[in-house]
Amino acid sequence: MSTAHRRRARYHPGDWVAFQFGPDPVRAQVIENRGPLGAGGRPLYRVRLGRLWSEPLEFEVSEDQLQSVDLDSAQVVEYLKQGGLLEVLRKNLSGGSPSPRAWLTFDAQGQLCLTAQAERSVRGGAEIPLAALFGNAVFRPKEGEVVDFLKEGFGLSDAEAAGVVRTIGLAP
Amino acid sequence: MPSAALQDWRTSRARALNQVEQAHAAVGGTGRGRRYATQQINHAYAVLLASHFQGFCRDLHSECVNHLVDCLQPAGFRVTVSAAFVYGRRLDRGNATPGNIGSDFNRLGLDFWARVKSLDARNESRMRRLIDLNEWWNAIAHEDFSTVKLGGRLPLKLAQVKRWRRARHRLSYSFDEVMRDSIQSVTGTSPW
């Protein structure tokens, strides 16, 4: 990392940012603050941009071309309702040490997906409830635990978390 | 006015390197005689010097790329072109060898080392000192002090590291001037 940065940086390694890349708006993750190396002393950041079926691209973008990525709960709720919660709960059907955790990240096409890598995270990190799946539904005795997991891990409200569980369904 | 990279080389990077020299004097003093601890400090100094010079070269490259793409239109195209300029940049992961430096800066549309050499005839010998330090960097990193590779110059002396540092210091000014002139000839504006 450059030692040349003095002013407070707007972004930090791990932050997700959005910018125009050719014809497409994309989302990438900041991996390094390069300091005021841009024209006119503008801060530069090194970012990692995922690409489909290819290695990620790493390059530098000046701060004035970046925007923060705001992930609102509605996007997270939609992802979880569309099968994301089932995918998460399947990650801890038999336990283990340490307990598996779940994070959300953006895939190469900017869509929400699951990751086991904390450094790629845009939200998440709570321990996945153990054996909380019954077929393709939430195991009824584990309902409370799953709701708490959604609130703690993904920042959902009571109503949002309960809504996700209702959509997925309870069994038996 | 120097580039931000050169300013950093002359200030914060120089301060870090000066601290190692001060540590050397504190441990071993300035008199004659063997002081085993100072050998380790010389090794650390060499590695730190290589690291900071690589950082300077990488910073200068980033600064040059950003100045070059800043004049492109439409503005939305700048990030794409910038990404192409730094794709697979050797200075991101490799040492600041003449090959890696040349490879990365040549991508910006010039014969970099030819310009550096034409600026000052002494830059050729300074360029060779880049190779010397990199040989020592590998020896220290891999604990392989083969006298063949190191030209029989064991142990590493502080005076040698200081010579390497002076060579890099002179090269840093040449790099800065070459790139400033190159960017100005392309964009019509001095970048710094």
Side-chain angles (χ1 to χ4, degrees):
Chain A
M1 179 156 72
S2 169
T3 57
H5 53 280
R6 299 288 178 265
R7 51 166 269 193
R8 189 183 298 272
R10 190 189 304 174
Y11 304 107
H12 304 90
D15 290 349
W16 283 88
V17 290
F19 53 92
Q20 194 71 19
F21 188 68
D24 303 319
V26 295
R27 287 168 172 161
Q29 194 173 25
V30 173
I31 57 176
E32 187 182 353
N33 174 2
R34 297 286 287 126
L37 298 175
R42 279 176 293 193
L44 287 188
Y45 297 89
R46 191 167 178 82
V47 299
R48 180 185 293 122
L49 175 65
R51 300 278 84 180
L52 192 60
W53 297 336
S54 308
E55 285 191 17
L57 287 177
E58 293 182 6
F59 51 91
E60 293 161 354
V61 189
S62 62
E63 189 176 271
D64 58 345
Q65 293 174 302
L66 299 176
Q67 291 176 325
S68 299
V69 170
D70 295 319
L71 184 65
D72 62 34
S73 290
Q75 293 174 275
V76 177
V77 166
E78 187 60 25
Y79 167 75
L80 292 169
K81 282 181 175 177
Q82 294 292 328
L85 179 57
L86 293 179
E87 193 182 348
V88 169
L89 296 179
R90 278 193 199 105
K91 300 291 182 192
N92 195 15
L93 296 178
S94 55
S97 180
S99 297
R101 294 176 183 269
W103 291 271
L104 294 180
T105 187
F106 294 110
D107 65 17
Q109 293 164 297
Q111 303 301 312
L112 276 178
C113 67
L114 210 57
T115 181
Q117 296 175 295
E119 63 270 19
R120 300 279 298 150
S121 161
V122 66
R123 197 180 286 196
E127 286 185 10
I128 303 170
L130 171 64
L133 211 55
F134 192 97
N136 281 332
V138 174
F139 189 38
R140 195 178 294 275
K142 292 274 188 169
E143 180 185 3
E145 199 175 329
V146 172
V147 166
D148 288 342
F149 163 72
L150 292 174
K151 287 161 55 179
E152 182 198 336
F154 300 119
L156 303 190
S157 66
D158 286 333
E160 287 167 338
V164 169
V165 172
R166 260 199 316 277
T167 302
I168 297 297
L170 292 164
Chain B
M1 184 176 169
S3 60
L6 181 58
Q7 288 180 59
D8 200 32
W9 169 257
R10 286 169 14 180
T11 56
S12 54
R13 294 191 189 278
R15 270 196 298 274
L17 295 172
N18 291 343
Q19 284 172 355
V20 182
E21 281 198 35
Q22 288 155 15
H24 188 284
V27 169
T30 54
R32 289 191 177 192
R34 295 192 66 160
R35 293 171 178 84
Y36 297 99
T38 55
Q39 181 60 202
Q40 305 309 312
I41 294 177
N42 292 342
H43 287 181
Y45 193 7
V47 170
L48 201 63
L49 175 61
S51 164
H52 274 292
F53 189 68
Q54 179 194 351
F56 157 73
C57 293
R58 184 173 179 244
D59 285 353
L60 182 64
H61 190 269
S62 293
E63 201 170 346
C64 292
V65 166
N66 195 263
H67 278 288
L68 282 171
V69 303
D70 200 48
C71 65
L72 290 178
Q73 291 296 340
F77 196 44
R78 292 174 190 165
V79 177
T80 314
V81 175
S82 174
F85 272 137
V86 301
Y87 179 75
R89 183 167 59 184
R90 297 189 186 190
L91 287 168
D92 284 335
R93 290 180 172 80
N95 290 344
T97 62
N100 286 346
I101 293 170
S103 181
D104 287 344
F105 281 94
N106 285 348
R107 206 187 288 187
L108 306 186
L110 72 163
D111 188 338
F112 180 75
W113 277 114
R115 295 271 191 107
V116 168
K117 285 181 186 179
S118 70
L119 203 59
D120 188 334
R122 292 166 292 184
N123 281 338
E124 172 129 17
S125 63
R126 291 167 185 157
M127 185 268 286
R128 290 206 193 90
R129 291 212 168 109
L130 286 182
I131 299 172
D132 283 350
L133 173 55
N134 283 312
E135 290 290 337
W136 267 98
W137 187 96
N138 285 323
I140 294 164
H142 302 292
E143 278 283 310
D144 178 10
F145 297 97
S146 160
T147 54
V148 173
K149 284 182 192 171
L150 302 177
R153 288 163 291 153
L154 291 171
L156 180 61
K157 295 191 187 324
L158 178 64
Q160 177 61 62
V161 184
K162 285 183 172 181
R163 278 195 290 273
W164 288 332
R165 182 174 172 183
R166 277 196 298 276
R168 274 153 183 75
H169 190 68
R170 300 286 186 271
L171 283 175
S172 70
Y173 281 87
S174 293
F175 289 6
D176 184 274
E177 186 175 338
V178 162
M179 291 316 302
R180 186 198 63 221
D181 292 347
S182 175
I183 293 170
Q184 183 164 7
S185 71
V186 170
T187 66
T189 310
S190 179
W192 48 77

